[in-house]
Protein backbone atom coordinates (compact mmCIF):
# COMPACT_ATOMS: atom_id res chain seq x y z
CA UNK A 1 0.00 0.00 0.00
CA UNK A 2 1.19 3.47 -0.83
CA UNK A 3 1.44 5.50 2.37
CA UNK A 4 2.89 8.62 0.76
CA UNK A 5 1.53 11.77 2.45
CA UNK A 6 1.17 14.62 0.01
CA UNK A 7 0.87 18.32 0.74
CA UNK A 8 -0.16 20.77 -1.97
CA UNK A 9 0.94 24.38 -1.51
CA UNK A 10 0.17 27.11 -4.04
CA UNK A 11 2.09 30.40 -4.01
CA UNK A 12 0.78 33.49 -5.83
CA UNK A 13 2.60 36.11 -7.87
CA UNK A 14 3.80 38.34 -5.02
CA UNK A 15 5.12 35.30 -3.12
CA UNK A 16 7.49 34.36 -5.95
CA UNK A 17 8.45 37.86 -7.17
CA UNK A 18 12.23 37.82 -6.75
CA UNK A 19 14.92 35.72 -5.10
CA UNK A 20 14.34 36.86 -1.50
CA UNK A 21 10.65 36.00 -1.64
CA UNK A 22 11.31 32.64 -3.24
CA UNK A 23 13.74 31.91 -0.40
CA UNK A 24 10.85 32.44 2.00
CA UNK A 25 8.80 29.97 -0.06
CA UNK A 26 11.70 27.53 0.16
CA UNK A 27 11.62 27.83 3.97
CA UNK A 28 7.93 26.90 4.04
CA UNK A 29 8.43 24.01 1.64
CA UNK A 30 11.50 22.71 3.52
CA UNK A 31 9.51 22.72 6.77
CA UNK A 32 6.88 20.55 5.14
CA UNK A 33 9.50 18.15 3.75
CA UNK A 34 11.05 17.90 7.22
CA UNK A 35 7.69 16.58 8.44
CA UNK A 36 8.16 13.67 6.06
CA UNK A 37 5.58 14.80 3.52
CA UNK A 38 6.00 14.88 -0.24
CA UNK A 39 5.29 18.39 -1.46
CA UNK A 40 3.63 19.50 -4.67
CA UNK A 41 4.22 23.22 -5.08
CA UNK A 42 2.07 25.14 -7.52
CA UNK A 43 3.56 28.45 -8.56
CA UNK A 44 2.19 31.53 -10.34
CA UNK A 45 4.18 33.79 -12.58
CA UNK A 46 6.05 36.56 -10.75
CA UNK A 47 3.74 39.51 -9.91
CA UNK A 48 3.07 41.64 -13.00
CA UNK A 49 4.55 39.13 -15.44
CA UNK A 50 1.28 37.81 -16.91
CA UNK A 51 0.11 41.40 -17.47
CA UNK A 52 3.42 42.24 -19.13
CA UNK A 53 3.11 39.27 -21.49
CA UNK A 54 -0.49 40.06 -22.41
CA UNK A 55 0.47 43.71 -23.03
CA UNK A 56 3.18 42.53 -25.40
CA UNK A 57 0.61 40.49 -27.31
CA UNK A 58 -1.64 43.52 -27.73
CA UNK A 59 1.29 45.53 -29.10
CA UNK A 60 2.06 42.81 -31.65
CA UNK A 61 -1.51 42.12 -32.76
CA UNK A 62 -4.85 43.94 -32.73
CA UNK A 63 -6.63 40.60 -32.27
CA UNK A 64 -4.14 38.06 -30.87
CA UNK A 65 -4.79 34.41 -31.66
CA UNK A 66 -6.03 32.91 -28.35
CA UNK A 67 -3.93 29.74 -28.67
CA UNK A 68 -0.81 31.85 -29.18
CA UNK A 69 -1.81 34.05 -26.25
CA UNK A 70 -1.75 30.93 -24.11
CA UNK A 71 1.59 29.78 -25.54
CA UNK A 72 2.89 33.20 -24.49
CA UNK A 73 1.20 33.58 -21.09
CA UNK A 74 2.26 30.12 -19.85
CA UNK A 75 5.92 31.17 -20.03
CA UNK A 76 5.48 33.25 -16.86
CA UNK A 77 4.80 30.18 -14.73
CA UNK A 78 7.52 28.20 -16.51
CA UNK A 79 10.12 30.73 -15.33
CA UNK A 80 8.89 30.50 -11.72
CA UNK A 81 8.97 26.70 -11.46
CA UNK A 82 12.37 26.34 -13.13
CA UNK A 83 13.95 28.93 -10.83
CA UNK A 84 12.30 27.45 -7.77
CA UNK A 85 13.46 23.91 -8.59
CA UNK A 86 17.03 25.29 -8.79
CA UNK A 87 16.69 26.80 -5.31
CA UNK A 88 15.37 23.52 -3.92
CA UNK A 89 18.26 21.54 -5.38
CA UNK A 90 20.81 23.94 -3.93
CA UNK A 91 19.13 23.44 -0.55
CA UNK A 92 19.60 19.68 -0.84
CA UNK A 93 16.02 18.78 -1.76
CA UNK A 94 15.27 16.43 -4.63
CA UNK A 95 13.12 18.60 -6.85
CA UNK A 96 12.07 19.15 -10.44
CA UNK A 97 9.82 21.46 -12.38
CA UNK A 98 6.69 20.10 -14.05
CA UNK A 99 4.75 21.84 -16.82
CA UNK A 100 1.07 21.41 -17.63
CA UNK A 101 1.72 19.22 -20.67
CA UNK A 102 4.17 17.01 -18.79
CA UNK A 103 1.83 16.00 -15.93
CA UNK A 104 -0.59 16.02 -17.83
CA UNK A 105 -3.25 18.51 -16.81
CA UNK A 106 -5.78 17.96 -19.58
CA UNK A 107 -8.19 20.78 -20.34
CA UNK A 108 -10.86 21.86 -22.81
CA UNK A 109 -9.72 23.77 -25.91
CA UNK A 110 -11.12 27.10 -24.67
CA UNK A 111 -7.88 29.02 -25.00
CA UNK A 112 -7.41 31.75 -22.35
CA UNK A 113 -10.26 30.29 -20.32
CA UNK A 114 -9.91 26.50 -20.41
CA UNK A 115 -11.40 24.12 -17.87
CA UNK A 116 -9.55 21.20 -16.33
CA UNK A 117 -10.92 17.84 -17.52
CA UNK A 118 -8.55 15.52 -15.70
CA UNK A 119 -5.12 15.20 -14.20
CA UNK A 120 -2.77 12.26 -14.69
CA UNK A 121 -2.26 11.57 -10.98
CA UNK A 122 -0.36 8.30 -11.61
CA UNK A 123 2.45 10.08 -13.44
CA UNK A 124 2.67 12.62 -10.63
CA UNK A 125 2.76 9.91 -7.98
CA UNK A 126 5.48 8.09 -9.89
CA UNK A 127 7.51 11.32 -10.01
CA UNK A 128 6.94 11.79 -6.28
CA UNK A 129 8.53 8.40 -5.60
CA UNK A 130 11.83 9.87 -6.76
CA UNK A 131 11.45 13.47 -5.59
CA UNK A 132 10.76 15.42 -2.39
CA UNK A 133 9.31 18.40 -4.23
CA UNK A 134 7.54 18.83 -7.55
CA UNK A 135 7.24 22.44 -8.67
CA UNK A 136 4.17 22.43 -10.93
CA UNK A 137 3.40 25.42 -13.16
CA UNK A 138 0.01 26.86 -12.20
CA UNK A 139 -2.56 28.39 -14.58
CA UNK A 140 -1.71 26.00 -17.43
CA UNK A 141 -2.72 22.74 -19.02
CA UNK A 142 -2.87 21.21 -22.46
CA UNK A 143 -5.74 20.24 -24.72
CA UNK A 144 -6.51 17.23 -26.92
CA UNK A 145 -4.42 18.73 -29.73
CA UNK A 146 -1.40 18.92 -27.45
CA UNK A 147 -1.57 22.73 -27.38
CA UNK A 148 -0.98 24.75 -24.23
CA UNK A 149 -4.00 26.31 -22.55
CA UNK A 150 -4.54 28.68 -19.61
CA UNK A 151 -7.27 28.56 -16.99
CA UNK A 152 -8.34 32.22 -16.84
CA UNK A 153 -6.83 34.99 -14.71
CA UNK A 154 -6.06 33.84 -11.20
CA UNK A 155 -6.11 30.24 -12.49
CA UNK A 156 -3.19 28.96 -10.41
CA UNK A 157 -5.60 28.70 -7.46
CA UNK A 158 -7.59 26.22 -9.51
CA UNK A 159 -4.46 24.30 -10.50
CA UNK A 160 -3.61 23.99 -6.79
CA UNK A 161 -7.03 22.76 -5.67
CA UNK A 162 -7.42 20.42 -8.67
CA UNK A 163 -4.02 18.85 -7.97
CA UNK A 164 -4.93 18.42 -4.29
CA UNK A 165 -8.15 16.68 -5.31
CA UNK A 166 -6.46 14.44 -7.91
CA UNK A 167 -3.68 13.41 -5.51
CA UNK A 168 -5.98 13.05 -2.53
CA UNK A 169 -3.59 15.35 -0.69
CA UNK A 170 -3.56 15.64 3.11
CA UNK A 171 -3.49 19.42 2.95
CA UNK A 172 -4.17 22.11 0.37
CA UNK A 173 -2.77 25.52 1.24
CA UNK A 174 -3.08 28.69 -0.84
CA UNK A 175 -0.32 31.11 0.14
CA UNK A 176 -0.83 34.75 -0.79
CA UNK A 177 -0.03 38.32 0.25
CA UNK A 178 -2.81 38.71 2.85
CA UNK A 179 -3.44 36.69 6.02
CA UNK A 180 -6.55 34.91 4.82
CA UNK A 181 -10.07 35.63 3.65
CA UNK A 182 -11.42 38.85 5.15
CA UNK A 183 -14.87 40.40 5.42
CA UNK A 184 -13.74 42.60 2.54
CA UNK A 185 -10.49 43.42 0.73
CA UNK A 186 -8.05 44.33 3.54
CA UNK A 187 -6.06 46.42 1.08
CA UNK A 188 -8.85 48.96 0.73
CA UNK A 189 -10.59 48.73 4.10
CA UNK A 190 -8.38 48.71 7.17
CA UNK A 191 -11.28 47.56 9.34
CA UNK A 192 -11.66 44.34 7.34
CA UNK A 193 -11.72 41.35 9.72
CA UNK A 194 -10.05 38.05 8.98
CA UNK A 195 -12.41 35.07 9.08
CA UNK A 196 -11.17 31.87 10.74
CA UNK A 197 -13.53 29.79 8.61
CA UNK A 198 -15.82 30.35 5.66
CA UNK A 199 -18.15 27.90 3.91
CA UNK A 200 -17.67 26.94 0.27
CA UNK A 201 -20.97 28.61 -0.61
CA UNK A 202 -20.10 31.95 0.93
CA UNK A 203 -16.63 31.84 -0.58
CA UNK A 204 -18.20 31.08 -3.96
CA UNK A 205 -20.37 34.19 -3.68
CA UNK A 206 -17.46 36.37 -2.57
CA UNK A 207 -15.28 35.09 -5.42
CA UNK A 208 -17.98 35.45 -8.04
CA UNK A 209 -18.64 39.02 -6.94
CA UNK A 210 -14.98 39.99 -7.38
CA UNK A 211 -13.01 38.98 -4.25
CA UNK A 212 -9.98 37.78 -6.18
CA UNK A 213 -8.29 36.10 -3.20
CA UNK A 214 -9.48 32.77 -4.72
CA UNK A 215 -10.45 32.16 -8.33
CA UNK A 216 -14.09 31.11 -8.43
CA UNK A 217 -13.36 27.82 -10.20
CA UNK A 218 -10.95 26.79 -7.47
CA UNK A 219 -13.80 27.10 -4.95
CA UNK A 220 -16.13 25.12 -7.24
CA UNK A 221 -13.50 22.37 -7.41
CA UNK A 222 -12.94 22.43 -3.65
CA UNK A 223 -16.67 22.12 -3.03
CA UNK A 224 -17.21 19.38 -5.60
CA UNK A 225 -14.37 17.19 -4.30
CA UNK A 226 -14.70 18.32 -0.69
CA UNK A 227 -11.12 19.61 -0.43
CA UNK A 228 -10.63 21.81 2.66
CA UNK A 229 -8.52 24.77 1.54
CA UNK A 230 -6.46 26.94 3.86
CA UNK A 231 -5.80 30.48 2.60
CA UNK A 232 -2.84 32.06 4.39
CA UNK A 233 0.04 34.47 4.09
CA UNK A 234 3.51 33.57 2.80
CA UNK A 235 4.95 36.29 5.00
CA UNK A 236 3.53 35.43 8.46
CA UNK A 237 2.71 32.39 10.56
CA UNK A 238 -0.96 33.29 10.95
CA UNK A 239 -2.98 30.09 10.35
CA UNK A 240 -5.23 31.94 7.88
CA UNK A 241 -8.76 30.96 6.88
CA UNK A 242 -10.15 27.48 6.38
CA UNK A 243 -12.56 27.23 3.44
CA UNK A 244 -14.66 24.13 3.99
CA UNK A 245 -18.13 22.66 4.23
CA UNK A 246 -20.60 24.53 6.37
CA UNK A 247 -20.98 23.26 9.91
CA UNK A 248 -22.73 24.39 13.03
CA UNK A 249 -19.71 26.09 14.51
CA UNK A 250 -19.56 28.59 11.65
CA UNK A 251 -20.72 32.13 12.03
CA UNK A 252 -24.33 32.31 10.92
CA UNK A 253 -24.72 35.88 9.95
CA UNK A 254 -26.95 38.20 8.05
CA UNK A 255 -24.11 39.77 6.08
CA UNK A 256 -20.76 38.00 5.80
CA UNK A 257 -18.82 40.21 3.43
CA UNK A 258 -18.57 43.03 0.91
CA UNK A 259 -17.00 42.41 -2.49
CA UNK A 260 -16.22 44.75 -5.35
CA UNK A 261 -15.33 44.25 -8.99
CA UNK A 262 -13.77 47.01 -11.05
CA UNK A 263 -13.56 44.83 -14.13
CA UNK A 264 -16.90 46.08 -15.38
CA UNK A 265 -18.12 47.92 -18.46
CA UNK A 266 -21.67 49.16 -18.94
CA UNK A 267 -23.38 49.04 -22.32
CA UNK A 268 -26.66 50.84 -23.08
CA UNK A 269 -28.66 50.31 -26.24
CA UNK A 270 -31.19 53.10 -26.77
CA UNK A 271 -34.57 52.71 -28.40
CA UNK A 272 -34.53 49.06 -29.39
CA UNK A 273 -37.79 47.62 -30.70
CA UNK A 274 -39.90 46.22 -27.87
CA UNK A 275 -40.97 42.97 -29.50
CA UNK A 276 -40.35 39.22 -29.14
CA UNK A 277 -36.90 38.05 -30.18
CA UNK A 278 -35.03 41.30 -29.59
CA UNK A 279 -33.31 40.22 -26.36
CA UNK A 280 -32.33 36.98 -28.04
CA UNK A 281 -30.88 38.86 -31.07
CA UNK A 282 -28.81 40.96 -28.67
CA UNK A 283 -27.60 38.35 -26.20
CA UNK A 284 -27.48 35.26 -28.48
CA UNK A 285 -24.36 36.30 -30.46
CA UNK A 286 -22.69 37.58 -27.28
CA UNK A 287 -23.21 34.24 -25.53
CA UNK A 288 -21.96 32.35 -28.60
CA UNK A 289 -18.64 34.15 -28.27
CA UNK A 290 -18.40 32.98 -24.65
CA UNK A 291 -18.81 36.52 -23.28
CA UNK A 292 -20.37 36.61 -19.84
CA UNK A 293 -23.14 39.18 -19.44
CA UNK A 294 -23.77 40.18 -15.86
CA UNK A 295 -26.42 42.69 -14.78
CA UNK A 296 -29.21 43.24 -17.32
CA UNK A 297 -31.92 45.89 -17.13
CA UNK A 298 -34.69 46.46 -19.65
CA UNK A 299 -36.74 49.61 -19.19
CA UNK A 300 -40.50 49.72 -19.55
CA UNK A 301 -41.63 50.34 -23.10
CA UNK A 302 -42.55 53.73 -24.64
CA UNK A 303 -43.97 53.94 -28.19
CA UNK A 304 -42.96 50.36 -28.97
CA UNK A 305 -39.33 51.05 -28.04
CA UNK A 306 -37.26 50.47 -24.94
CA UNK A 307 -33.68 50.86 -23.60
CA UNK A 308 -31.54 47.91 -22.63
CA UNK A 309 -28.53 48.16 -20.27
CA UNK A 310 -26.10 45.43 -19.23
CA UNK A 311 -22.54 44.90 -18.02
CA UNK A 312 -19.65 42.81 -19.35
CA UNK A 313 -16.01 42.41 -18.36
CA UNK A 314 -13.88 45.33 -19.62
CA UNK A 315 -11.74 43.01 -21.72
CA UNK A 316 -14.86 41.90 -23.64
CA UNK A 317 -16.22 45.40 -24.31
CA UNK A 318 -14.81 45.96 -27.82
CA UNK A 319 -15.95 42.51 -29.00
CA UNK A 320 -19.40 43.11 -27.50
CA UNK A 321 -19.75 46.49 -29.24
CA UNK A 322 -18.76 44.95 -32.60
CA UNK A 323 -21.39 42.20 -32.16
CA UNK A 324 -24.05 44.80 -31.33
CA UNK A 325 -23.11 46.89 -34.35
CA UNK A 326 -23.77 43.81 -36.50
CA UNK A 327 -27.37 43.43 -35.23
CA UNK A 328 -28.08 47.12 -34.77
CA UNK A 329 -30.39 47.49 -37.79
CA UNK A 330 -32.34 44.29 -36.99
CA UNK A 331 -33.12 45.40 -33.45
CA UNK A 332 -33.93 48.97 -34.54
CA UNK A 333 -31.48 50.54 -32.07
CA UNK A 334 -30.94 54.30 -32.27
CA UNK A 335 -27.75 54.53 -30.30
CA UNK A 336 -25.27 52.31 -28.44
CA UNK A 337 -23.21 53.78 -25.60
CA UNK A 338 -20.60 52.28 -23.31
CA UNK A 339 -18.82 53.30 -20.14
CA UNK A 340 -15.83 51.70 -18.39
CA UNK A 341 -15.75 54.01 -15.37
CA UNK A 342 -18.01 51.75 -13.32
CA UNK A 343 -17.61 49.29 -10.47
CA UNK A 344 -19.85 46.62 -9.00
CA UNK A 345 -20.19 46.48 -5.21
CA UNK A 346 -21.97 43.57 -3.52
CA UNK A 347 -23.25 42.85 -0.03
CA UNK A 348 -23.19 39.07 0.56
CA UNK A 349 -24.73 36.87 3.24
CA UNK A 350 -26.68 33.63 3.35
CA UNK A 351 -28.62 35.01 6.33
CA UNK A 352 -30.38 37.44 3.97
CA UNK A 353 -32.53 34.55 2.76
CA UNK A 354 -34.80 34.84 5.76
CA UNK A 355 -34.51 38.54 6.48
CA UNK A 356 -35.66 41.66 4.75
CA UNK A 357 -34.27 45.14 5.18
CA UNK A 358 -30.67 44.54 4.12
CA UNK A 359 -31.17 46.16 0.72
CA UNK A 360 -32.80 49.28 2.16
CA UNK A 361 -29.98 49.64 4.71
CA UNK A 362 -27.41 49.33 1.94
CA UNK A 363 -29.20 51.92 -0.24
CA UNK A 364 -29.57 54.35 2.69
CA UNK A 365 -25.85 54.04 3.47
CA UNK A 366 -25.00 54.83 -0.16
CA UNK A 367 -27.39 57.80 -0.13
CA UNK A 368 -25.73 59.26 2.98
CA UNK A 369 -22.43 59.32 1.07
CA UNK A 370 -24.15 60.77 -2.01
CA UNK A 371 -23.18 57.76 -4.12
CA UNK A 372 -25.50 57.34 -7.07
CA UNK A 373 -26.68 53.81 -7.93
CA UNK A 374 -26.45 53.25 -11.68
CA UNK A 375 -27.85 49.72 -11.70
CA UNK A 376 -29.14 47.33 -9.07
CA UNK A 377 -29.73 43.63 -8.81
CA UNK A 378 -30.64 41.43 -5.89
CA UNK A 379 -30.76 37.70 -5.25
CA UNK A 380 -31.61 35.62 -2.18
CA UNK A 381 -28.18 36.06 -0.71
CA UNK A 382 -26.71 39.19 -2.25
CA UNK A 383 -27.36 42.78 -3.24
CA UNK A 384 -25.33 44.19 -6.08
CA UNK A 385 -24.99 47.87 -6.99
CA UNK A 386 -23.24 49.40 -9.96
CA UNK A 387 -21.63 52.74 -9.12
CA UNK A 388 -19.03 55.10 -10.58
CA UNK A 389 -15.70 53.43 -9.97
CA UNK A 390 -14.16 56.48 -8.28
CA UNK A 391 -16.50 55.75 -5.34
CA UNK A 392 -15.57 52.04 -5.04
CA UNK A 393 -13.37 52.32 -1.94
CA UNK A 394 -15.76 54.70 -0.20
CA UNK A 395 -18.72 52.42 -0.94
CA UNK A 396 -16.92 49.33 0.38
CA UNK A 397 -15.88 51.07 3.61
CA UNK A 398 -19.34 52.57 4.10
CA UNK A 399 -21.10 49.22 3.69
CA UNK A 400 -18.54 47.47 5.89
CA UNK A 401 -19.28 49.99 8.62
CA UNK A 402 -23.06 49.93 8.11
CA UNK A 403 -23.17 46.17 8.70
CA UNK A 404 -20.54 46.34 11.49
CA UNK A 405 -18.43 43.68 9.85
CA UNK A 406 -15.40 44.65 11.91
CA UNK A 407 -17.19 43.12 14.91
CA UNK A 408 -17.82 39.46 15.65
CA UNK A 409 -21.41 38.59 14.63
CA UNK A 410 -22.56 38.27 18.26
CA UNK A 411 -21.35 41.78 19.06
CA UNK A 412 -23.23 43.56 16.28
CA UNK A 413 -26.03 45.84 17.34
CA UNK A 414 -28.75 45.28 14.78
CA UNK A 415 -30.03 42.85 12.27
CA UNK A 416 -28.24 39.67 13.25
CA UNK A 417 -30.02 36.33 13.20
P1 LIG B 1 -2.06 35.89 -5.51
O1 LIG B 1 -1.13 36.60 -6.44
O2 LIG B 1 -1.39 35.38 -4.27
O3 LIG B 1 -2.90 34.87 -6.19
P2 LIG B 1 -4.23 37.79 -5.60
O4 LIG B 1 -3.81 39.19 -5.84
O5 LIG B 1 -4.80 37.02 -6.75
O6 LIG B 1 -3.01 37.02 -4.94
O7 LIG B 1 -5.30 37.72 -4.41
C1 LIG B 1 -4.99 38.30 -3.16
C2 LIG B 1 -5.62 39.68 -3.07
O8 LIG B 1 -7.05 39.53 -3.03
C3 LIG B 1 -5.31 40.46 -1.83
O9 LIG B 1 -4.09 41.15 -1.94
C4 LIG B 1 -6.50 41.38 -1.67
O10 LIG B 1 -6.23 42.68 -2.15
C5 LIG B 1 -7.56 40.76 -2.58
N1 LIG B 1 -8.86 40.53 -1.91
C6 LIG B 1 -10.06 40.95 -2.38
N2 LIG B 1 -11.04 40.62 -1.56
C7 LIG B 1 -10.48 39.96 -0.51
C8 LIG B 1 -11.00 39.36 0.69
N3 LIG B 1 -12.31 39.36 0.98
N4 LIG B 1 -10.12 38.77 1.55
C9 LIG B 1 -8.80 38.75 1.27
N5 LIG B 1 -8.25 39.30 0.15
C10 LIG B 1 -9.07 39.90 -0.74
N1 LIG C 1 -0.34 34.26 -13.54
C1 LIG C 1 -1.76 34.10 -13.76
C2 LIG C 1 -2.46 35.45 -13.61
O1 LIG C 1 -1.82 36.44 -13.33
C3 LIG C 1 -2.37 33.05 -12.90
C4 LIG C 1 -2.32 33.32 -11.40
O2 LIG C 1 -1.53 34.14 -10.94
O3 LIG C 1 -3.10 32.67 -10.68
O4 LIG C 1 -3.65 35.51 -13.78
MG1 LIG D 1 -4.60 35.08 -7.45
Amino acid sequence: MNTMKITVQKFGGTSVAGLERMKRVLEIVSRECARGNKVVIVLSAMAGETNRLLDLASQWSSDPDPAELDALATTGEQVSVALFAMLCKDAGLKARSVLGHQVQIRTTCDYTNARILDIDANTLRAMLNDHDVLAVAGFQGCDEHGRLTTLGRGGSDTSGVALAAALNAETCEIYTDVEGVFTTDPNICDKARKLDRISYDEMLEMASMGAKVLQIRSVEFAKKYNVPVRVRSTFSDNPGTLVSQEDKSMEYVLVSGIAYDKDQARVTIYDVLDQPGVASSIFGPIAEKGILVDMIIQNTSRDGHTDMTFTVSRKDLQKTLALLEAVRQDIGAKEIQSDTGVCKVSVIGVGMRNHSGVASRAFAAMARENINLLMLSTSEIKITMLIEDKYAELAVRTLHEEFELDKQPGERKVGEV
Side-chain angles (χ1 to χ4, degrees):
M1 205 181 87
N2 197 337
T3 54
M4 191 189 280
K5 285 193 175 163
I6 303 172
T7 297
V8 173
Q9 297 178 323
K10 176 260 170 177
F11 293 86
T14 35
S15 307
V16 295
L19 179 57
E20 288 316 308
R21 291 188 183 178
M22 271 211 201
K23 283 186 180 162
R24 169 70 189 146
V25 174
L26 178 65
E27 252 177 65
I28 296 171
V29 173
S30 305
R31 214 163 39 193
E32 200 57 27
C33 290
R35 286 202 189 109
N37 289 356
K38 298 282 186 175
V39 192
V40 173
I41 300 300
V42 179
L43 299 185
S44 290
M46 294 193 197
E49 180 60 8
T50 309
N51 285 344
R52 187 186 74 84
L53 293 166
L54 297 179
D55 278 354
L56 276 182
S58 58
Q59 289 170 38
W60 256 246
S61 163
S62 57
D63 187 17
D65 180 89
E68 300 306 347
L69 267 182
D70 281 356
L72 180 69
T74 47
T75 61
E77 273 69 17
Q78 182 166 345
V79 170
S80 296
V81 289
L83 289 173
F84 187 69
M86 291 177 201
L87 275 189
C88 289
K89 277 199 175 170
D90 287 0
L93 295 171
K94 277 181 141 184
R96 66 159 285 183
S97 62
V98 183
L99 303 177
H101 64 281
Q102 296 169 333
V103 178
Q104 295 181 324
I105 297 174
R106 279 184 288 271
T107 72
T108 60
C109 312
D110 305 303
Y111 302 109
T112 74
N113 199 22
R115 283 179 177 268
I116 296 179
L117 296 172
D118 69 276
I119 294 180
D120 180 1
N122 289 338
T123 305
L124 273 173
R125 282 184 176 273
M127 286 180 183
L128 281 172
N129 279 328
D130 308 326
H131 295 86
D132 306 312
V133 179
L134 296 180
V136 181
F139 182 51
Q140 59 178 256
C142 74
D143 68 6
E144 60 186 6
H145 310 294
R147 299 203 71 170
L148 294 166
T149 55
T150 65
L151 308 177
R153 298 307 304 268
S156 299
D157 296 333
T158 303
S159 311
V161 176
L163 281 160
L167 291 166
N168 204 6
E170 298 271 302
T171 323
C172 176
E173 294 178 315
I174 304 283
Y175 283 87
T176 183
D177 56 1
V178 289
E179 295 204 318
V181 179
F182 285 69
T183 46
T184 193
D185 185 345
N187 285 326
I188 68 161
C189 177
D190 56 14
K191 288 199 172 158
R193 185 171 58 90
K194 190 190 71 94
L195 303 167
D196 293 332
R197 296 186 66 178
I198 185 170
S199 68
Y200 293 128
D201 287 332
E202 274 170 323
M203 191 63 237
L204 270 177
E205 286 299 331
M206 294 275 277
S208 66
M209 289 297 110
K212 65 173 183 163
V213 62
L214 284 179
Q215 195 199 35
I216 178 163
R217 281 190 193 157
S218 71
V219 190
E220 285 167 359
F221 243 100
K223 183 179 175 190
K224 185 166 173 193
Y225 296 100
N226 198 14
V227 181
V229 175
R230 188 167 287 284
V231 179
R232 59 189 303 179
S233 167
T234 306
F235 310 105
S236 86
D237 289 322
N238 191 308
T241 303
L242 184 69
V243 187
S244 64
Q245 252 169 11
E246 205 165 335
D247 75 23
K248 291 205 172 65
S249 72
M250 279 187 185
E251 300 178 341
Y252 183 59
V253 291
L254 190 58
V255 173
S256 51
I258 313 289
Y260 68 99
D261 185 355
K262 289 192 172 181
D263 179 27
Q264 294 282 306
R266 178 173 57 151
V267 178
T268 306
I269 317 171
Y270 291 98
D271 275 335
V272 285
L273 290 169
D274 189 15
Q275 64 186 34
V278 166
S280 152
S281 306
I282 294 173
F283 296 113
I286 296 177
E288 264 166 42
K289 290 281 175 208
I291 296 172
L292 225 66
V293 172
D294 194 354
M295 304 168 87
I296 304 179
I297 293 180
Q298 182 186 324
N299 277 350
T300 47
S301 167
R302 328 161 235 85
D303 317 324
H305 285 78
T306 183
D307 300 337
M308 193 86 89
T309 307
F310 60 93
T311 60
V312 292
S313 161
R314 284 184 196 173
K315 71 173 179 356
D316 293 328
L317 178 62
Q318 291 314 320
K319 254 192 221 160
T320 305
L321 292 175
L323 291 167
L324 290 176
E325 218 35 72
V327 295
R328 186 186 179 132
Q329 295 235 303
D330 299 345
I331 59 174
K334 263 211 190 106
E335 199 186 340
I336 299 171
Q337 274 185 9
S338 65
D339 180 2
T340 51
V342 293
C343 172
K344 194 171 77 174
V345 180
S346 306
V347 179
I348 295 154
V350 286
M352 276 184 220
R353 248 186 223 131
N354 315 314
H355 282 258
S356 57
V358 177
S360 60
R361 267 172 79 185
F363 302 155
M366 295 292 92
R368 277 198 301 279
E369 296 298 335
N370 231 349
I371 300 175
N372 192 27
L373 306 181
L374 306 171
M375 289 174 88
L376 288 175
S377 82
T378 61
S379 80
E380 270 198 312
I381 58 169
K382 64 175 183 278
I383 295 150
T384 301
M385 297 164 271
L386 196 78
I387 60 173
E388 278 184 71
D389 71 351
K390 64 181 177 195
Y391 296 125
E393 281 80 2
L394 176 63
V396 167
R397 286 188 212 119
T398 303
L399 291 166
H400 198 270
E401 189 143 346
E402 171 63 30
F403 294 102
E404 298 176 281
L405 298 184
D406 56 323
K407 298 191 183 129
Q408 296 287 342
E411 294 163 6
R412 293 176 197 159
K413 279 198 297 288
V414 276
E416 288 309 321
V417 284

